[in-house]
Amino acid sequence: MKIEWDVKTWSLRNKVLGTCAAVTLAVGLILTWQSNSRIGSLAEEQLRAMGRDAGAAFAAQAEQFVMLGNTTGLAAPMAALKDNPVIYFAVVSDAKKKILGSTFPGDVPKEISDKLFVGEDSKDSSGQKDFAGHSYLEVDVPLMQG
């Protein structure tokens, strides 16, 4: 038995049903894409807010150490940042762009330090960045109002 799929021989019911199915499929795909992109942007906003909150808590602890020039005192607040699952890495620098401390075990990798001190106009504040096979969002938290 051979089945013909010629649309010209379909009944009106099948044509309406086929059109409705195609429209439903198209609307479903568009809504799925839209909700996925919205959920992604909401997740990114939430991660940025969590990073800013963790950075603000760190800044409150670290300001005194930075003002006094006691960079060894930054070790305890930095250790707390390392344990925070939201924080991938943190770097503290002074106004002269000298790195005072970081959550890295040794020196700050060149790949990161090169990105730290680019001009504010060229700094990319949106989107994900990559380091050592991991994606991260950059969040700047100023110490001592700058």
Side-chain angles (χ1 to χ4, degrees), residues 46-59 81 84 87 139 141:
Q46 184 177 11
L47 282 173
R48 282 188 188 281
M50 290 168 60
R52 273 191 295 274
D53 292 345
F58 168 78
L81 281 181
N84 189 331
I87 305 296
V139 178
V141 180

Side-chain angles (χ1 to χ4, degrees), residues 4-113:
E4 292 286 328
W5 289 99
D6 188 14
V7 178
K8 294 177 185 174
T9 61
W10 282 12
S11 66
L12 180 61
R13 180 188 68 154
N14 289 344
K15 289 178 183 177
V16 169
L17 219 67
T19 303
C20 288
V23 168
T24 302
L25 180 66
V27 168
L29 289 173
I30 290 170
L31 290 177
T32 300
W33 171 79
Q34 183 183 24
S35 67
N36 283 342
S37 65
R38 180 69 180 142
I39 287 171
S41 67
L42 286 174
E44 183 176 321
E45 287 175 27
Q46 184 177 11
L47 282 173
R48 282 188 188 281
M50 290 168 60
R52 273 191 295 274
D53 292 345
F58 168 78
Q61 293 176 336
E63 277 184 354
Q64 295 300 320
F65 296 117
V66 172
M67 271 198 316
L68 297 173
N70 182 4
T71 57
T72 58
L74 290 173
M78 283 287 189
L81 281 181
K82 278 185 189 178
D83 295 337
N84 189 331
V86 176
I87 305 296
Y88 182 47
F89 66 85
V91 178
V92 177
S93 65
D94 63 6
K96 297 173 185 163
K97 300 179 180 180
K98 178 185 173 197
I99 295 175
L100 303 176
S102 73
T103 55
F104 292 103
D107 291 336
V108 177
K110 183 140 178 68
E111 182 180 342
I112 297 297
S113 62

